Protein backbone atom coordinates (compact mmCIF):
# COMPACT_ATOMS: atom_id res chain seq x y z
CA UNK A 1 0.00 0.00 0.00
CA UNK A 2 1.32 3.45 -0.94
CA UNK A 3 1.21 6.42 1.45
CA UNK A 4 1.84 10.15 1.11
CA UNK A 5 2.46 12.79 3.77
CA UNK A 6 0.43 16.00 3.65
CA UNK A 7 -0.08 18.96 5.94
CA UNK A 8 -3.82 19.20 6.65
CA UNK A 9 -5.85 21.83 8.42
CA UNK A 10 -9.56 22.66 8.44
CA UNK A 11 -11.97 20.04 7.16
CA UNK A 12 -15.58 19.26 6.40
CA UNK A 13 -16.93 15.86 7.42
CA UNK A 14 -19.71 14.43 5.26
CA UNK A 15 -21.80 12.21 7.56
CA UNK A 16 -24.37 11.22 4.95
CA UNK A 17 -27.60 12.53 3.49
CA UNK A 18 -30.98 13.48 4.95
CA UNK A 19 -34.45 12.52 3.67
CA UNK A 20 -34.25 15.33 1.10
CA UNK A 21 -30.91 13.98 -0.18
CA UNK A 22 -29.13 17.02 1.28
CA UNK A 23 -25.62 16.53 2.67
CA UNK A 24 -25.23 16.30 6.44
CA UNK A 25 -21.90 18.02 7.12
CA UNK A 26 -19.82 19.16 10.06
CA UNK A 27 -17.25 21.94 9.58
CA UNK A 28 -14.14 21.66 11.76
CA UNK A 29 -11.68 24.53 12.11
CA UNK A 30 -8.35 24.06 13.86
CA UNK A 31 -5.72 26.56 14.94
CA UNK A 32 -2.72 24.77 13.46
CA UNK A 33 -2.17 22.50 10.52
CA UNK A 34 -0.68 19.07 11.19
CA UNK A 35 1.15 16.49 9.12
CA UNK A 36 -0.70 13.27 8.35
CA UNK A 37 0.24 10.08 6.54
CA UNK A 38 -2.54 9.14 4.10
CA UNK A 39 -3.12 5.84 2.33
CA UNK A 40 -3.35 6.68 -1.37
CA UNK A 41 -6.17 4.17 -1.92
CA UNK A 42 -8.41 6.24 0.41
CA UNK A 43 -8.09 9.39 -1.75
CA UNK A 44 -11.18 10.01 -3.88
CA UNK A 45 -10.22 13.32 -5.51
CA UNK A 46 -8.05 16.41 -5.24
CA UNK A 47 -8.77 20.04 -6.09
CA UNK A 48 -6.55 23.07 -5.69
CA UNK A 49 -7.88 23.56 -2.16
CA UNK A 50 -9.22 20.21 -0.90
CA UNK A 51 -8.33 16.55 -0.84
CA UNK A 52 -11.32 14.23 -0.47
CA UNK A 53 -10.55 11.17 1.68
CA UNK A 54 -12.74 8.13 2.41
CA UNK A 55 -12.96 6.81 5.99
CA UNK A 56 -14.78 3.51 6.40
CA UNK A 57 -17.89 2.84 4.33
CA UNK A 58 -20.04 5.84 5.12
CA UNK A 59 -17.89 8.87 5.83
CA UNK A 60 -15.74 11.14 3.70
CA UNK A 61 -13.77 14.22 4.68
CA UNK A 62 -12.84 17.27 2.61
CA UNK A 63 -9.45 18.35 4.04
CA UNK A 64 -7.75 21.66 3.30
CA UNK A 65 -4.08 21.00 2.56
CA UNK A 66 -1.17 23.46 2.65
CA UNK A 67 1.04 22.01 -0.09
CA UNK A 68 0.57 23.26 -3.61
CA UNK A 69 -1.59 21.31 -6.06
CA UNK A 70 1.26 20.44 -8.45
CA UNK A 71 3.42 18.94 -5.71
CA UNK A 72 0.53 16.76 -4.46
CA UNK A 73 -0.14 15.64 -8.02
CA UNK A 74 3.53 14.67 -8.38
CA UNK A 75 3.39 12.65 -5.15
CA UNK A 76 0.50 10.63 -6.53
CA UNK A 77 2.05 9.85 -9.90
Amino acid sequence: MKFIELTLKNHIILHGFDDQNKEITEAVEVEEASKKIIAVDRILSISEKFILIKYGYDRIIYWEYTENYKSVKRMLM
Side-chain angles (χ1 to χ4, degrees), residues 11-24:
H11 52 285
I12 300 168
I13 304 168
L14 175 61
H15 291 286
F17 297 88
D18 67 12
D19 294 339
Q20 307 299 317
N21 204 32
K22 189 172 183 176
E23 292 181 340
I24 300 168

Side-chain angles (χ1 to χ4, degrees), residues 3-43:
F3 294 87
I4 61 172
E5 181 180 58
L6 291 176
T7 308
L8 305 176
K9 193 168 182 194
N10 299 325
H11 52 285
I12 300 168
I13 304 168
L14 175 61
H15 291 286
F17 297 88
D18 67 12
D19 294 339
Q20 307 299 317
N21 204 32
K22 189 172 183 176
E23 292 181 340
I24 300 168
T25 61
E26 174 187 355
V28 179
E29 293 189 20
V30 297
E31 288 187 32
E32 291 185 40
S34 61
K35 290 193 179 286
K36 297 196 183 302
I37 302 292
I38 301 163
V40 171
D41 64 348
R42 290 181 172 233
I43 298 171

Side-chain angles (χ1 to χ4, degrees), residues 41-75:
D41 64 348
R42 290 181 172 233
I43 298 171
L44 299 175
S45 69
I46 297 177
S47 68
E48 289 186 10
K49 184 175 181 180
F50 292 102
I51 182 166
L52 181 59
I53 301 174
K54 172 178 61 171
Y55 290 89
Y57 293 104
D58 61 348
R59 186 172 297 162
I60 58 175
I61 300 180
Y62 297 90
W63 288 94
E64 289 181 17
Y65 61 93
T66 61
E67 291 79 9
N68 81 32
Y69 176 79
K70 287 183 181 182
S71 67
V72 174
K73 187 176 169 182
R74 271 193 304 273
M75 284 185 231

